């Protein structure tokens, strides 16, 4: 189910309840069941959905509400608030400070949009007055360094990588060292991916993180990966203590659920979304407008 359909289903469930003659426990249960189905169809992990609907129940104590209270409105507000809560783990992610050598490491599977997103992230901060730099520690995919080089050149951002060296840890450390000396205040380390979150990749991420001591690890996920999002995000979280999520490809037929699941798995906020292949197709993620749009 694509994002707009998810919003439509939830809005319909709320509207159906609004049409019920009496807003009692049964009407609330039916509404929450409908919302649960919509979220599961959109690939939100079932555990996260159950936690969300339980919270709505707790927030809306129908019996305790005084006569004349607008119960429908209260339920709608509770659903809105709980959807926001699902996307807001309650602690902001690390924000780089100008003038300090911030190191930000990107992790994610091959094809998730990691390399593209590194440059988008660099370019965004360049526009805010940072001096970003890019390190290509992806020695797994042939052509990764060329791609990063091409993007970096287009965005006029200094880069570091090697065609010869096969040890990602060595390249990452050398790159970070070089850009520290050059006073870059946002050193971005792009890493390898694989088609699955296999043990070798997770171990590589652990080693790169240990050697470069990033201030922030960003997990990049393809917005259309569906139910796989939760396990994937959790695997990366365990390898390199992910502190933020970027969801890409939300311009296509992406399902909304993956983002919600990734937040639940990493307990980290979504900070940006990718909305296209071009470097400017990048937006700051803001929970409330996103949920408003979701609910239509
Ligand atoms: P990596 O293997 O994770 O480094 O992924 P890449 O950065 O090479 O991206 C894989 C493909 O996804 C490329 O064709 C990108 O142009 C494309 N891509 C990346 N981000 C987005 C996005 O937000 N929207 C769309 N439509 N395509 C994207």
């Amino acid at each position: 189910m694509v994002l707009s359909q998810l919003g439509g289903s939830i809005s319909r469930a709320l509207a159906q309840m609004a049409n019920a003659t009496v807003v009692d426990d049964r009407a609330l249960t039916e509404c929450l069941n409908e919302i649960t189905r919509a979220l599961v169809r959109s690939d939100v992990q079932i555990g996260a959905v159950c936690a969300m609907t339980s919270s709505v129940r707790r927030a809306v104590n129908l019996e305790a509400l005084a006569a004349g209270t607008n119960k429908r409105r209260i339920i709608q507000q509770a659903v809105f608030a709980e959807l926001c809560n699902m996307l807001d783990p309650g602690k902001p992610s690390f924000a780089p400070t100008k003038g300090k050598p911030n190191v930000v490491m990107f992790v994610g599977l091959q094809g998730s949009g990691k390399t593209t997103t590194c440059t988008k992230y660099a370019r965004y901060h360049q526009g805010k007055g940072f001096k970003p730099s890019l390190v290509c520690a992806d020695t797994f995919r042939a052509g990764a360094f060329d791609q990063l080089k091409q993007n970096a050149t287009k965005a006029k951002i200094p880069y570091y990588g090697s065609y010869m060296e096969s040890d990602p840890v060595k390249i990452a450390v050398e790159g970070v060292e070089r850009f520290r000396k050059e006073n870059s205040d946002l050193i971005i380390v792009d890493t390898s991916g694989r088609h699955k979150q296999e043990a070798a990749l997770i171990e590589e991420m652990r080693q790169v993180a240990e050697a470069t001591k990033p201030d922030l690890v960003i997990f990049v996920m393809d917005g259309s990966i569906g139910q796989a999002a939760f396990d994937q995000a959790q695997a990366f979280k365990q390898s390199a203590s992910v502190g933020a999520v970027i969801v890409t490809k939300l311009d296509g037929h992406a399902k909304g659920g993956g983002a919600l699941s990734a937040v639940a798995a990493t307990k980290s906020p979504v900070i940006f979304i990718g909305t296209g292949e071009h470097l400017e197709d990048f937006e700051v993620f803001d929970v409330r407008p996103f949920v408003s749009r979701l609910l239509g």
Side-chain angles (χ1 to χ4, degrees), residues 109-117 120 138 141 147 190 248-252 274-277 281:
L109 290 191
Q110 194 162 314
S112 60
K114 198 161 19 78
T115 303
T116 311
T117 306
K120 287 180 175 180
D138 180 354
R141 179 163 64 95
Q147 187 190 348
D190 187 14
T248 62
K249 309 187 192 182
L250 284 181
D251 48 311
T275 54
E277 298 197 39
D281 300 330

Side-chain angles (χ1 to χ4, degrees), residues 3 20 45 89 154 164 182 233 273-274:
L3 213 53
Q45 195 239 6
K154 208 186 289 175
M164 314 295 279
E182 291 181 8
I273 55 172

Side-chain angles (χ1 to χ4, degrees), residues 221-280:
M221 61 164 267
D222 180 331
S224 61
I225 58 169
Q227 284 290 351
F230 190 86
D231 289 346
Q232 203 182 95
Q234 207 168 42
F236 281 105
K237 171 84 178 175
Q238 281 158 4
S239 74
S241 96
V242 169
V245 177
I246 296 181
V247 186
T248 62
K249 309 187 192 182
L250 284 181
D251 48 311
H253 292 286
K255 301 178 184 192
L260 301 170
S261 299
V263 172
T266 59
K267 300 191 175 49
S268 307
V270 177
I271 51 171
F272 290 97
I273 55 172
T275 54
E277 298 197 39
H278 300 290
L279 294 181
E280 59 275 16

Side-chain angles (χ1 to χ4, degrees), residues 129-205:
F130 281 85
K131 273 180 66 186
S133 53
L134 288 158
V135 179
C136 176
D138 180 354
T139 51
F140 186 78
R141 179 163 64 95
F145 181 35
D146 273 333
Q147 187 190 348
L148 181 128
K149 215 163 138 176
Q150 217 173 43
N151 287 345
T153 307
K154 208 186 289 175
K156 298 190 174 61
I157 293 166
Y159 58 86
Y160 181 83
S162 167
Y163 290 110
M164 314 295 279
E165 181 56 61
S166 60
D167 178 1
V169 177
K170 191 156 183 273
I171 299 183
V173 170
E174 282 173 4
V176 169
E177 279 303 306
R178 157 160 335 174
F179 290 126
R180 265 187 215 276
K181 285 198 191 111
E182 291 181 8
N183 293 327
S184 167
D185 53 9
L186 187 59
I187 307 168
I188 298 164
V189 182
D190 187 14
T191 60
S192 304
R194 302 283 195 283
H195 293 300
K196 280 201 314 226
Q197 61 271 30
E198 51 200 65
L201 174 63
I202 300 303
E203 175 55 19
E204 184 177 319
M205 294 307 104

Side-chain angles (χ1 to χ4, degrees), residues 1-16 31 34-35 37-39 41-42 83 290-296:
M1 192 189 305
V2 297
L3 213 53
S4 54
Q5 286 169 344
L6 168 66
S9 302
I10 294 177
S11 299
R12 251 193 323 280
L14 288 167
Q16 263 163 21
C31 173
E34 192 49 50
I35 290 173
R37 280 193 288 274
L39 289 169
R41 275 200 305 273
S42 283
L83 280 171
F290 181 82
V291 173
S292 297
R293 216 166 52 204
L294 199 65
L295 293 178

